[in-house]
Structures are given as C-alpha cells and as structure tokens.
Amino acid sequence: MSFPQTELSAFHEVGRVVFAYLNGYTCDGIELSETDAGRGGAKLNAGDDLALVQAILSGTPLSTSPDNKEKSIEVAKKLMTIYCAGSCVSAFFQNEKNIPTELDLEIPSHDLRNIELIQKFLSKALPEHSDNYPTQIMTVIFKGLKDADLIKSIGMLSTALLRTENKSLNGFGIEDTLMASGLPIPKRTKRSPYNVDLQEDKTIPIKSDSDNNITFNADSNSPIDILLHDFLQRVRTNWKEEELNAAISYVKDIFSKYNR
C-alpha cells in the first residue's frame, strides 16, 4: 500500500511514542514538519530514568555498581524497543497491516545510530549478548502488532496527529487520544523530556547480521526551546510543566506561521 510521506512519518513517530508508553514512559509532544515530511520529532519523558537514558544515548560511562548496571540494562532494552518500533510500525502499515516476510527494513539513519549505540552498550554490559538482538526485538514488536487494541491505539493517534493544522500534538492531546483508544497511561513525572528527532530523508538498510559501529551524538533540546524555557520561567515562575511546554509550543507555532 502506498502512503504519502507525511502519513509514513506519522506512523513511524507514533509507533515510537506508543511503544514508549507501553514501556512506562510518556511523551510531552509530537511534531511533524509541514515543509519536509521526513523531519519532525517527539519529546519523550523517561521520568526517573532520564539520567540513564542520557548516559546510554551519549556513550557516557555508567557506575559499575550491580544495582545501577541492572537498571541500566533494563533501560537500554526499553530504548531498543522504542527505536526499533518506528520502522516496524511504518512497515506494518505499508504492508496493509501485515507482518513483512523479510526483516530487512529501511531504518532512518538517526534511529540506526541509536540502535547501534544501545547494542554496543548491551554488548559491553552482557558478555553473551546476541549480535542479532535488534532483529529479535523487531520480531517481538511485529508479533505485538497482531493485537487489535494496539493497532487501534496507533491508528487513532496517527489520525489525530495528521488532522491537526500544524501536524503536532502536545502531551494532553496525545494522552487524551491514547486513553480514548484504551491504552493505559503511566503516571507523569516532572522530569524534563528528551528529544527523539525524525530524519527520514536518509535511510540505511539494516539486516539481521548487521555489525556496524556508528558514532553517536546525543540529542538535546534545540536552542530555541532552551531560550524560550528560560524566558517564560522568568516571566512567570509558577508554571506547571505541561503549561510551560504548551506555552513554548504556542510561541514556536507563531514563529513558524510568520516565518520569524
């Protein structure tokens, strides 16, 4: 089935967001680019796992204490599922909601860098870690997509995102839609989100025997996000986190509308 690029981008991004929720994380916003359908982003909120997420995705050495190592491995496995989910969901919908017969997916270069970095971390932490772990995770994801309720959640959130004028949803819109679809919503925290950016203009095929090592540069909030965050907190000191994020999105929408 042929979909417009914007719809494929929505399936990809929503797939990652839904699987983030399934793994106990939340999302403070999704945004698709109106001028370049292959670029957009999501702000996932990892709550108390944020420090570990940042360490894993930046290659920062972690504490070697047994408790910290065990938790780090758990977080890394969650991240592997999230970063594999986008391409799996997109391929699933392209294949008329059927599992592809060949797990030879085209994965955006940005996702691939994350997958490779997470795989590298797990290989160091677990001496017997499988080289085919990303493919194993993709297989699990595709099996999960046999669940009609999960497909319903992905479909409803993709539709809600694509129907918005600016192709974006804040945390409230995301969770209202997911709750309406029947997906359980984890309790939110006040931790800062981390960005997950789409870069689907460049794709790199990944096969089950992939052993590429790619240098990764961790994502962070854009400079405009940081500047607006600081400015708005000075204007008003008693923002709730969701109010502040919504205000930042609103100001950015105005900038985008008037090309300022």
Side-chain angles (χ1 to χ4, degrees):
M1 182 180 296
S2 179
F3 287 97
Q5 184 60 46
T6 306
E7 288 189 42
L8 291 177
S9 297
F11 289 141
H12 186 109
E13 191 65 24
V14 165
R16 291 194 292 190
V17 169
V18 168
F19 275 85
Y21 275 87
L22 291 174
N23 280 279
Y25 296 157
T26 60
C27 182
D28 291 349
I30 311 175
E31 182 177 2
L32 299 179
S33 171
E34 294 186 87
T35 57
D36 183 348
R39 294 182 182 273
K43 291 183 178 179
L44 300 185
N45 194 322
D48 293 336
D49 291 346
L50 178 60
L52 292 176
V53 169
Q54 291 174 329
I56 292 167
L57 296 182
S58 65
T60 303
L62 297 167
S63 167
T64 56
S65 67
D67 289 345
N68 194 62
K69 179 179 179 181
E70 184 176 347
K71 182 63 176 177
S72 299
I73 291 170
E74 177 188 333
V75 170
K77 289 181 176 180
K78 289 182 179 182
L79 292 174
M80 182 67 82
T81 297
I82 292 167
Y83 282 105
C84 288
S87 295
C88 290
V89 169
S90 181
F92 179 79
F93 277 87
Q94 278 184 285
N95 201 39
E96 300 184 355
K97 297 183 181 180
N98 291 303
I99 299 173
T101 55
E102 297 291 335
L103 287 186
D104 185 9
L105 307 181
E106 283 195 343
I107 297 182
S109 58
H110 177 83
D111 279 0
L112 183 58
R113 286 195 297 270
N114 285 302
I115 290 169
E116 295 289 352
L117 191 69
I118 297 163
Q119 176 72 352
K120 184 177 180 179
F121 168 82
L122 288 171
S123 295
K124 287 183 177 179
L126 299 168
E128 297 182 0
H129 183 68
S130 172
D131 291 339
N132 291 329
Y133 184 66
T135 300
Q136 294 170 6
I137 291 297
M138 291 177 192
T139 301
V140 172
I141 292 170
F142 278 123
K143 287 181 179 178
L145 290 173
K146 294 179 180 179
D147 187 328
D149 289 336
L150 179 56
I151 296 172
K152 177 183 176 182
S153 295
I154 293 169
M156 286 181 64
L157 186 56
S158 298
T159 299
L161 175 60
L162 290 167
R163 283 179 176 173
T164 60
E165 183 178 356
N166 57 359
K167 300 297 182 289
S168 68
L169 283 173
N170 60 22
F172 293 115
I174 293 168
E175 295 189 358
D176 281 348
T177 304
L178 292 180
M179 284 189 290
S181 76
L183 191 78
I185 303 298
K187 183 179 179 181
R188 280 187 163 272
T189 72
K190 293 185 178 181
R191 300 282 182 176
S192 297
Y194 71 95
N195 280 353
V196 182
D197 296 321
L198 283 175
Q199 294 187 3
E200 296 183 17
D201 56 322
K202 296 181 180 179
T203 58
I204 301 175
I206 180 170
K207 300 179 184 294
S208 60
D209 60 352
S210 174
D211 59 356
N212 297 325
N213 289 316
I214 298 178
T215 302
F216 172 81
N217 294 318
D219 294 312
S220 62
N221 289 335
S222 69
I224 187 64
D225 286 330
I226 296 171
L227 289 171
L228 285 172
H229 184 280
D230 291 344
F231 171 73
L232 291 170
Q233 281 198 320
R234 291 185 183 185
V235 173
R236 176 180 162 190
T237 59
N238 62 341
W239 292 98
K240 293 181 179 179
E241 183 181 3
E242 57 269 21
E243 293 176 333
L244 183 56
N245 288 330
I248 291 172
S249 296
Y250 177 73
V251 174
K252 288 174 66 178
D253 286 344
I254 293 175
F255 288 159
S256 176
K257 181 177 181 180
Y258 293 100
N259 295 317
R260 296 293 178 87

